[in-house]
Amino acid sequence: MTKLEQIEKSVSELGPEELKAFAAWFDDLQAARWDTQFAKDAESGALDALADAALSDFKSGRSRSL
């Protein structure tokens, strides 16, 4: 049994309250990893082209208020 299969089996056996707690923990984990990756991408310049395109669209009127 692979590690993923073991995790899937364990999660499928959780009761309602444990599953709720696990889901909240997993959401937090994913958010923290996303924040870390976003910060790395921003620092490395990987998002610069996207930011430039967004600013260009804004300055030329090709955007709208949210």
Side-chain angles (χ1 to χ4, degrees):
M1 181 178 283
T2 68
K3 193 174 193 177
L4 178 57
E5 289 170 334
Q6 291 172 342
I7 292 168
E8 289 172 344
K9 183 178 184 313
S10 294
V11 170
S12 70
E13 294 172 352
L14 295 175
E17 289 303 311
E18 289 177 315
L19 182 59
K20 185 177 176 180
F22 172 78
W25 169 83
F26 191 71
D27 285 345
D28 290 344
L29 175 67
Q30 287 183 299
R33 288 188 175 184
W34 190 91
D35 288 346
T36 299
Q37 185 62 53
F38 188 87
K40 285 180 184 177
D41 289 345
E43 187 174 312
S44 73
L47 303 175
D48 291 353
L50 292 172
D52 291 343
L55 288 171
S56 176
D57 286 347
F58 177 75
K59 290 175 184 174
S60 65
R62 292 188 310 262
S63 64
R64 59 187 163 110
S65 297
L66 297 177

